[in-house]
């Protein structure tokens, strides 16, 4: 197993307006994307990887001159990896409204000559799927071997099977849900309020004021982090350990008795995560992306009947959930599985017993990666892209 | 069952300094308290009710001229209620550092002539128990028939059995835990960061600036509220209902597609709760009380051995938990029960199947109130305070 190596992001310009779910349209825009592996002559081995909240088009490999710039799913995507770039042509696209190269709130609104800021139109999972479809059109890819995503990325993968049923052979929907629960929306809303009520937010037009609502972004990220981790893994990793180390390991360190300074290690961890996030993430993007999560609800147009919603789907599915994920629990994945079975769709379901909570979908768990690898091997066999592997070559000798 | 009627809070002044766990001391202070029912001649029927985060000494009844000013546990405490004020003399005390009448951060620091603000010393559950014990001394109560509390109040009830084992006959510890988990601390820390980083906090000396860090308090309260409710009850109460009502009930209302305005009812509910809280709660008190939660950990001085910690206890116990409470889950209550059983203590344990999450301890659930009522009847019989009840009188005729 290796890395895809150094990769270079590319940009594609779109001048035709993109109609949005909200009724508005985005006049012109660009998408940043990366590809790994080689598109075969039949153009049948393309796999689209959809990203979640703070990720991007940079799925695998590293950027030139940037040490430790591995893509967010580098453990899954690469030569000989579960999503094998020796067999598949993998595409990562930064979503519209994000802050990593595709058109977003930091960019200039052609209508005003100023950054969009809060005026960037609300984008939905459905809108992202349409934007991705246009990019694939331009790459000459009429059908995807598979679309894969975790969390919000899983919602996009599901969306593909509903909006373009004939353009997707397989859908891998990981650690996701058919919609957000009230509790999920509640956490998003608190995070948004922290950002919007930060005096440096300036109604979303903070760029013009030369400031960034870092306080709000920090709090938002801290809340997010708590929901990504399981109670168990937090307990194991941090427990009630104090920041101050005990001078004598047989006697606990003393409490500092402070309300504003760091006392427990978990506090230090969360503050660090919040600080780091506030340095690079765009506040308006945070609002847009959490709203895209809130709005996704394919059953909505069918009176809440998810099975009716999935009647359109034609793909085959792998659904994966993680036992300790309380953000998108296995019960939510089973709703998807049930809706697919109601429609006699071909669906495999794996509930992985992993301790890491929602974050598990990003981690290198042997059972999880084994399931994904096996599923992609099945796809490779089906489309005939099984590359000669070292083991195969030996057998052939 | 009736109400205790109109009640008048009282204040007790203490001039002897209170030594605190932190090593500091509180020079002089006052405690606000209320009592309901009558102390019997033997002074054996006193029950102390300890309060949690945003509650107070005002446990039951109403304040004169204030409609809808029922005490926070009015459904449990009163004539004929589970904690029957016809039989027991019930005492509620506002904790030190709180903002409802007892000495706290808003009060003048005698050392500076200005409000304490962030200089109010850190107070712990142990400190509160000592302050409460002094008040009981002055009331001439040497032994409590019972101490009862839920959540942080339950921690104080447990603390009583460890700090004054011979002064407590019974301890009712409801919806509580032997300490906070890393996740519990994490939620507290995010709430504190929201407050401390609000520019109107001014390092905790906002009183002098004539402002209140309302933004931070709102976010803190919103986070808190999510953790008080169960996922289930939130789903049932709000689900994905939109704020906008559907003009035609057979067709769902349209999304407004907004990132800053309210779209879902759960958002409206949380914002309302946050706004209300920010109008009356003191920001420094919020920091102090969440820290008291963080610091409580009786096992700590015993190398993490909770059974060793409870070796001191002499009381008999009722421990109650609620199945959907994910803040202080039944597993945490069972840790307490196990530690008590390890010490051959007399303990009853009830795990109530209630949908409301942590908030259940404040609600009028028949099974829960039945358990508490039965337990107090046992105590009443034991100390001979069984008041003549209407039913008894009829039988006697």
């Amino acid at each position: 197993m290796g890395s895809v190596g150094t990769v270079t992001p590319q940009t594609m310009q779109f001048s035709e307006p993109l109609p949005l779910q909200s009724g508005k349209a985005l006049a012109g825009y660009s998408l940043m994307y990366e590809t790994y592996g080689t598109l075969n002559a039949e153009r049948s081995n393309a796999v689209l990887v959809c990203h979640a909240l703070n990720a991007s088009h940079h799925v695998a490999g590293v950027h030139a001159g940037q040490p430790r710039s591995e893509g967010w799913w580098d453990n899954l995507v690469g030569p000989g990896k579960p999503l094998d770039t020796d067999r598949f042509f993998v595409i990562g696209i930064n979503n519209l409204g994000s802050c990593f190269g595709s058109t977003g709130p930091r960019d200039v609104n052609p209508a005003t000559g100023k950054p969009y800021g809060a005026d960037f139109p609300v984008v939905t999972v459905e809108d992202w799927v349409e934007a991705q479809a246009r990019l694939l059109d331009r790459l000459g890819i009429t059908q995807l071997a598979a679309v894969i995503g975790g969390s919000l990325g899983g919602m996009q993968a599901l969306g593909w099977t509903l909006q373009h049923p004939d353009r997707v052979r397989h859908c891998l929907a990981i650690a996701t849900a058919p919609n957000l629960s009230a509790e999920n929306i509640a956490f998003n809303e608190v995070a948004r309020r922290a950002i919007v009520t930060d005096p440096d937010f300036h109604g979303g037009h903070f760029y013009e004021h030369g400031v960034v609502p870092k306080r709000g972004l920090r709090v938002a990220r801290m809340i997010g982090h708590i929901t990504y981790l399981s109670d168990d893994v937090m307990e194991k990793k941090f427990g009630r350990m104090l920041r101050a180390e005990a001078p004598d390991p047989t006697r606990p360190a003393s409490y500092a008795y402070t309300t504003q300074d760091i006392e427990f290690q978990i506090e230090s961890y969360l503050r660090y995560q919040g600080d780091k996030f506030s340095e690079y993430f765009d506040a308006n993007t945070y609002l847009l992306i959490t709203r895209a999560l809130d709005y996704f609800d394919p059953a909505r147009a069918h009176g809440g009947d998810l099975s009716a919603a999935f009647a359109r789907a034609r793909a085959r599915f792998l659904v994966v959930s993680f036992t300790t994920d309380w953000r998108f629990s296995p019960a939510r994945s089973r709703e998807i599985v049930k809706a697919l079975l109601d429609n006699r769709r071909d669906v495999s379901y794996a509930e992985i017993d992993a301790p890491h909570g929602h974050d598990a979908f990003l981690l290198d768990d042997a059972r999880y990666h084994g399931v994904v690898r096996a599923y992609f091997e099945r796809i490779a066999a089906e489309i005939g892209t099984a590359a000669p592997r070292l083991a195969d070559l030996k057998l052939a000798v």
Side-chain angles (χ1 to χ4, degrees), chain A:
Chain A
M1 295 203 295
S3 164
V4 298
T6 302
V7 291
T8 308
Q10 301 170 68
T11 297
M12 200 180 275
Q13 303 288 341
F14 296 84
S15 53
E16 59 275 53
L18 184 73
L20 304 170
Q21 289 283 303
S22 65
K24 296 189 176 170
L26 206 53
Y29 58 95
S30 65
L31 293 177
M32 189 158 270
Y33 69 103
E34 289 182 6
T35 69
Y36 325 99
T38 309
L39 188 62
N40 62 13
E42 302 81 18
R43 297 172 184 268
S44 66
N45 68 335
V47 175
L48 175 65
V49 177
C50 303
H51 72 79
L53 205 145
N54 66 322
S56 71
H57 54 280
H58 183 41
V59 176
V62 292
H63 288 157
Q66 294 179 38
R68 300 202 300 173
S69 64
E70 282 79 14
W72 59 271
W73 227 349
D74 193 69
N75 61 25
L76 192 92
V77 179
K81 288 182 178 170
L83 173 41
D84 188 348
T85 51
D86 286 340
R87 302 177 180 195
F88 293 100
F89 177 65
V90 177
I91 308 148
I93 306 175
N94 188 218
N95 285 328
L96 276 174
S98 181
C99 49
F100 298 112
S102 293
T103 301
R106 282 178 185 165
D107 292 302
V108 170
N109 180 351
T112 65
K114 289 184 190 173
Y116 278 103
D119 297 332
F120 195 86
V122 169
V123 283
T124 63
V125 167
E126 289 80 2
D127 297 330
W128 287 335
V129 168
E130 290 314 307
Q132 291 159 0
R134 286 188 176 185
L135 188 142
L136 297 187
D137 288 344
R138 295 259 288 264
L139 294 179
I141 297 165
T142 52
Q143 191 185 48
L144 288 164
V147 58
I148 179 173
S151 191
L152 176 57
M155 291 176 171
Q156 295 160 62
L158 294 174
W160 263 95
T161 72
L162 303 176
Q163 292 170 242
H164 297 285
D166 299 321
R167 292 189 71 171
V168 193
R169 294 176 71 90
H170 292 271
C171 169
L172 292 85
I174 301 170
T176 192
N179 62 27
L180 292 199
S181 68
E183 189 184 81
N184 292 149
I185 297 173
F187 278 119
N188 281 347
E189 172 69 0
V190 183
R192 280 191 296 262
R193 293 314 290 166
I195 290 170
V196 168
T197 64
D198 183 330
D200 285 338
F201 184 65
H202 293 287
H205 296 284
F206 51 90
Y207 317 102
E208 305 161 33
H209 294 81
V211 292
V212 167
K214 285 192 182 180
R215 302 177 200 89
L217 280 165
R218 282 190 202 108
V219 167
R221 184 58 166 178
M222 290 170 84
I223 295 168
H225 245 280
I226 299 176
T227 69
Y228 305 152
L229 298 180
S230 72
D231 190 13
D232 279 2
V233 85
M234 243 192 220
E235 200 58 30
K236 202 163 277 179
K237 206 167 168 182
F238 303 104
R240 296 180 53 79
M241 277 189 297
L242 301 188
R243 187 189 199 184
E245 280 184 34
D248 171 357
T250 65
R251 297 163 63 98
S254 294
Y255 286 150
Y257 294 103
T258 169
T259 58
Q260 296 186 44
D261 295 335
I262 289 171
E263 180 77 271
F264 296 93
Q265 288 190 11
I266 180 67
E267 297 168 353
S268 172
Y269 171 78
L270 285 178
R271 289 198 196 184
Y272 172 77
Q273 295 294 340
D275 287 349
K276 207 172 59 169
F277 188 71
S278 73
E279 295 294 329
Y280 74 83
F281 208 78
D282 178 69
N284 284 306
T285 291
Y286 200 91
L287 304 187
L288 287 169
I289 293 194
T290 54
R291 262 308 191 216
L293 276 161
D294 293 354
Y295 283 136
F296 182 70
D297 188 9
R300 185 175 158 78
H302 300 269
D305 183 346
L306 192 64
S307 299
F310 274 109
R312 295 178 58 78
R314 292 289 165 268
R316 277 164 287 167
F317 289 80
L318 173 65
V319 177
V320 180
S321 71
F322 300 93
T323 48
T324 56
D325 184 351
W326 61 279
R327 184 183 172 95
F328 293 146
S329 73
R332 304 308 317 273
S333 279
R334 289 194 294 261
E335 289 177 40
I336 298 167
V337 171
K338 184 189 174 299
L340 292 168
L341 291 176
D342 285 346
N343 287 291
R344 300 171 187 275
R345 290 295 98 204
D346 180 338
V347 53
S348 302
Y349 175 54
E351 197 166 306
I352 306 289
D353 187 12
H356 304 96
H358 188 60
D359 256 7
F361 89 88
L362 294 169
L363 303 176
D364 183 2
D365 176 279
R367 284 164 298 185
Y368 161 44
H369 275 196
V371 166
V372 174
R373 176 184 294 277
Y375 197 84
F376 273 113
E377 280 172 359
R378 172 184 151 186
I379 303 176
E382 181 188 302
I383 59 174
T385 65
R389 307 294 306 279
L390 196 59
D392 302 335
L393 293 173
K394 274 188 186 152
L395 283 172
V397 168

